[in-house]
Amino acid sequence: MDGQSPIRELKGVGEKTQKLFAKLDIHTVGDLLTFYPRDYETFQKPVGIAQAALGEVCAVYGCVWGILGEKRVRNLHVLNVKLSDGTGEIFVTFYNMPFLKKVLKKGGFYVFRGMVQSRGANKLMEQPKLFSLDDYRKIEGQLLPRYSLTKGLTNQALLKYMRQALTFYGFLPERYSGSMLERNGLISERAALEAIHFPSGREELLQARKRLVFDEFFSFLFMMRKSKDYGRQITSEYRIQETADTVRFLERLPFPLTEAQKKVWQEIRGDMGSPYCMNRLVQGDVGSGKTIVAVLALLMAAANGYQGALMAPTEVLALQHFETVQGYVKKYGCSFRPVLLTGSMSAGEKREAYGRIASGEANLVIGTHALIQEKVQYHSLALVVTDEQHRFGVRQRERLAQKGAQPHILVMSATPIPRTLALILYGDLQISVIDELPADRLPIKNCVVNTSYRATAYRFIAKEVEQGRQVYVICPQVEGAEDAQDGFSGEGGAPMENVVDYTEKLKSVLPSHIQVAYLHGKMRPGDKKRIMEEFASHTVDVLVSTTVVEVGINVPNATVMMVENAERFGLAQLHQLRGRVGRGEHQSYCIFVSANEKEEVMERLKILKKSNDGFFIASEDLRLRGPGELLGVRQSGEFSFQIGDIYTDAAVLQQAAREAERILAEDPDLAQEENEALRRYMETAAENAVDFRSI
Ligand code: ADP
Ligand code: MG
């Protein structure tokens, strides 16, 4: 068995399980091994009930004082018991577990593990896990990995397959030389995979994580720097000069550009008129007005008789850009002849779009990365803009070059990256920064609250909707099933809200004329598009969503952003979410709801109240977490690294960059014997690895 072996080769994986795995994009044993846990649950020593902190998952050990009560609420069977341990008492509620009546003996001693909540002056646990002291002792201190699963596949089943895969996984040659491992303080890949899924303790887990993060960063940096065009200025065949079109467009725009926008626009004009291809990154906080700058560059290309392409990470965003541009054509009569090209269009629609692109009739192509696929032949593609970057790699750039002359490239990003990191990640790009927001913006009002504030929040939401505004509510999960087993997850984790159930809940608490809909990444593209359109056109008042709305969506009428389980997100990500409101003339509000009331957690979230500056927030986030402090694997969202996080793993990123430079200087073709395994690895990995970064 090796990394390429189909998942079906594992014992117990039949057609049904294979389909479940496919949903998680796991097709081979290798895919399974790199399906890293979302976080880890620690079974800590039981604490005295008096010490059990509200909002935290604790284990308590005590004596059950009989069944307090049993009732039925609609379909729900409710069982209440009370536990005491000499330091205090805690009430415990179980749902739909009538058999416990027989199991829980009056005067018996048990360990209950669950989230500690309050009910009036009393402490309460709902649906805790139940253990005998002996059983609990066996798992005490262990870290149990938890995966982001799909309905039908339990954590336990996954662990069983993982164990099997690791046991039968063939000999894995170590790709790094002994000296490289030593220099960088890395454990072997094999040991890392073992420990990331079955850690014996925290220290081992951190070592494993470091190795896997290093691998990801190193492969990416090495391949990026090795690509033939890295850092090289390419002579451009498209000298694009400013024309009256952009000047007229700017005159007609209802607002003046900010000074920062003007400066960046000037830099772009300079690049496009120079003898070399532009290769520029525009960084600007959410709402700083990057789209207009991109539109100006595209308009300049069109006015010179060339084609431009605007590539967005999602269909929803592509469609939104398309509509914005169509609006400009109507209002300001600019010379765009735009065409939309996305993966979900019908074959007929696509064919028509291809035709218009090939003939040059369309001079602006807007779409997802369907627009750089083989079938698309351009007439004269002179400029490619990628919005919110995402999966536009060196390889894509090469692919574009094969379609004609190398176009100018402009990358728009709202990811706040400190300069030192930007130089590593975007070393081959010129960087422009839009460091100013349009002046007419009212600052967003923020609050960080606990879950008891929800009722107030719902009243507020209803009020805003009455006044014609719209609302986003963000939940971390799509559906409840994956965590239904025990209702909570993660170290110190509180229950996680999910989009599907939350939507139902909101529908029942909000006045019935308020239209609530939901959106998440697992929906079909057509459905997503429809919901987004309904929200944009104000057929929907309240949109409950996962973080898919994080990127780029512009609905200026939306004024409330409520984030559930805010403690689960990185500050940079919360800042991006906040950027979805405060985009219009109305006062906007952000409500960050934390299900964990621990002081550090609340303090971290309160940084969002103090500052609106994405760079500051990202660096504070890093400072407060401390690199490597984070056990769980967080997706940075902005970058497509699977496990590495550019903020928390900044030190490893720097280390990987130094190592990549060293090897490129000493043995760029990996021809030396000690780099033989690395060379073979890089050859097979080349296909995927360059896609890590967006550019
Ligand atoms: P982002 O940088 O997050 O992509 P957008 O380009 O979507 O931001 O711009 C957000 C909103 O601000 C849009 O509605 C846009 O029309 C508006 N906008 C852009 N530039 C200015 C400006 N200079 N003055 C006022 N509003 C602006
Ligand atoms: Mg944008």
Side-chain angles (χ1 to χ4, degrees), residues 255-258 261 285-292 328 388 438 440-441 554 556 583:
F255 48 76
L257 291 186
T258 61
Q261 283 171 317
D285 217 337
V286 281
S288 60
K290 293 181 292 293
T291 314
I292 272 299
Y328 290 147
E388 308 290 349
D440 61 351
R441 299 283 159 77
N554 189 29
R583 301 172 81 85

Side-chain angles (χ1 to χ4, degrees), residues 257-417:
L257 291 186
T258 61
E259 288 308 310
Q261 283 171 317
K262 280 186 201 155
K263 183 190 75 200
V264 174
W265 171 224
Q266 164 127 29
E267 287 165 345
I268 292 171
R269 272 178 299 174
D271 287 351
M272 297 211 298
S274 88
Y276 300 106
C277 285
M278 169 165 73
N279 209 5
R280 183 172 290 278
L281 167 74
V282 175
Q283 278 193 329
D285 217 337
V286 281
S288 60
K290 293 181 292 293
T291 314
I292 272 299
V293 175
V295 166
L296 282 166
L298 291 162
L299 185 58
M300 188 157 123
N304 278 253
Y306 298 125
Q307 287 176 314
L310 173 56
M311 188 155 95
T314 63
E315 299 219 346
V316 168
L317 201 54
L319 187 73
Q320 181 186 292
H321 283 322
F322 183 67
E323 280 162 3
T324 304
V325 167
Q326 277 184 323
Y328 290 147
V329 173
K330 247 189 243 146
K331 269 190 268 175
Y332 312 132
C334 41
S335 52
F336 283 129
R337 296 185 303 275
V339 66
L340 183 69
L341 187 61
T342 63
S344 70
M345 281 164 47
S346 72
E349 290 168 328
K350 277 187 200 156
R351 223 174 307 119
E352 199 204 316
Y354 295 153
R356 293 182 56 202
I357 297 167
S359 70
E361 187 210 323
N363 61 5
L364 173 56
V365 189
I366 299 175
T368 50
H369 56 275
L371 60 75
I372 53 165
Q373 272 154 17
E374 263 116 74
K375 288 197 190 123
V376 192
Q377 290 302 325
Y378 287 89
H379 185 258
S380 55
L381 183 63
L383 169 65
V384 175
V385 181
T386 71
D387 189 26
E388 308 290 349
Q389 25 154 302
H390 285 260
R391 301 227 155 226
F392 184 68
V394 176
R395 207 169 77 231
Q396 279 88 342
R397 210 185 314 175
E398 282 165 4
R399 205 188 274 176
L400 274 175
Q402 288 159 10
K403 290 180 179 292
Q406 178 75 53
H408 295 287
I409 305 244
L410 186 61
V411 179
M412 323 294 282
S413 168
T415 311
I417 309 177

Side-chain angles (χ1 to χ4, degrees), residues 444 446 574-581 590 608 611-612 617:
I444 297 169
N446 302 282
L574 291 172
H575 178 65
Q576 290 284 317
L577 286 168
R578 168 162 69 185
R580 298 306 113 221
V581 296
C590 250
L608 291 162
S611 171
N612 237 327
I617 288 170

Side-chain angles (χ1 to χ4, degrees), residues 114 178 189 203 410 569 602 674:
E189 183 180 1
E203 196 44 43
L410 186 61
F569 298 97
M602 295 305 255
E674 64 164 16

Side-chain angles (χ1 to χ4, degrees), residues 433-454:
V433 184
I434 304 186
D435 50 7
E436 172 187 12
L437 293 182
D440 61 351
R441 299 283 159 77
L442 289 169
I444 297 169
K445 294 193 173 156
N446 302 282
C447 64
V448 177
V449 295
N450 62 29
T451 50
S452 69
Y453 184 80
R454 277 190 193 127

